[in-house]
Amino acid sequence: SAGPAPRSPPPRGASATPAASGSDMGRGLTLLLLPLALLAAPAQAEGGAAAEEVKVEVLQLPEVCSPKSKKGDLLNAHYDGFLASDGSKFYCSRTQNEGHPKWFVLGVGQVIKGLDIAMMNMCPGEKRKVIIPPSLAYGQQGYAQGKIPPNATLIFEIELYAVNKGPRSVEAFHQIDKDGDKKLSQLEISQYLKEEFARDGKKRHPSVHDEILADIFKKNDHDGDGFISAKEYNVYQHDEL
């Protein structure tokens, strides 16, 4: 699960600290081969989106603005959500998941369309205030569980902590593909999982490894040949393999 404003509010991301180290990323990507869970979202409003735009105000920009976020990147951020109509707060990430920032993949529908747009080309340390029209948020239906009424314009204040290569990046594929044959075997993925589990240091029952490995192949080996090809792996298509 992951970050800002919800496809159904708000996804709870993997625990992390604002300073995302390499080991943090290892923990965050332990299950990088599994499709990240997408919570069911209300149907987006049809029409009007072309005429309505996300308004972005940069509140803070670090002197060094690199790397800039792009589709498929794994972001780590805190955010507050408000209703534009009366300024009431409907969500605060700092009160969820023990206050940890949220991890989510940008541009693939894990958050509402307006946030996927609003957080493009954003750099670590940057803060933004964004205004999202209903057609790029919860549309005519609203989202009652999240206390978002129909046709609601939303305001988010976002602080971005980290921009990292997302799941299924070229780098991760080559790291797993030990023999360089452009496909991932069960042995290669098994070894990768063992390394990731060792890195994060959490105690797990041995059966967890086998269950995850089986699930990875069930969900990703579409042609059933016992391997995950480069094409099957790179569902986000943000890099060429």
Side-chain angles (χ1 to χ4, degrees), residues 6-37:
R7 284 219 67 179
S8 59
R12 300 185 190 88
S15 298
T17 57
S21 66
S23 60
D24 289 326
M25 286 306 303
R27 289 192 287 272
L29 298 183
T30 294
L31 306 182
L32 88 167
L33 286 163
L34 290 171
L36 296 175

Side-chain angles (χ1 to χ4, degrees), residues 119-198:
M119 295 187 69
M120 289 288 182
N121 297 310
M122 195 172 180
C123 54
E126 184 174 345
K127 294 181 181 180
R128 289 182 178 181
K129 178 180 179 180
V130 302
I131 301 175
I132 299 174
S135 61
L136 298 174
Y138 292 96
Q140 297 175 3
Q141 283 118 328
Y143 190 79
Q145 185 178 341
K147 300 181 180 179
I148 298 171
N151 299 310
T153 295
L154 307 181
I155 298 173
F156 283 93
E157 292 181 357
I158 306 161
E159 182 173 4
L160 183 61
Y161 294 114
V163 177
N164 293 284
K165 285 288 187 181
R168 305 179 189 250
S169 67
V170 169
E171 290 83 355
F173 185 90
H174 291 319
Q175 182 182 354
I176 302 169
D177 184 23
K178 301 289 188 184
D179 61 10
D181 64 355
K182 294 294 183 75
K183 57 186 180 181
L184 307 180
S185 67
Q186 291 203 26
L187 181 61
E188 287 172 329
I189 294 176
S190 174
Q191 183 59 36
Y192 179 78
L193 287 174
K194 289 177 181 177
E195 291 170 359
E196 290 299 303
F197 286 175

Side-chain angles (χ1 to χ4, degrees), residues 62-85:
E63 289 186 16
V64 178
C65 184
S66 179
K68 289 191 174 183
S69 60
K70 62 183 185 304
K71 180 181 177 181
D73 282 345
L74 185 66
L75 306 187
N76 186 233
H78 263 317
Y79 53 92
D80 296 311
F82 306 85
L83 297 179
S85 58

Side-chain angles (χ1 to χ4, degrees), residues 47-64:
E52 294 185 301
E53 296 180 346
V54 174
K55 296 179 181 177
V56 177
E57 177 186 354
V58 177
L59 302 177
Q60 176 178 304
L61 189 67
E63 289 186 16
V64 178

Side-chain angles (χ1 to χ4, degrees), residues 1-2 10-11 26 31 38 51 53 85 87 103 107-108 115-116 124 146 158 172 175 206 217 223 231:
S1 356
L31 306 182
L38 296 181
E53 296 180 346
S85 58
W103 287 106
V108 298
L115 275 171
D116 267 341
I158 306 161
Q175 182 182 354
F217 274 84
D223 61 10
K231 183 176 181 180

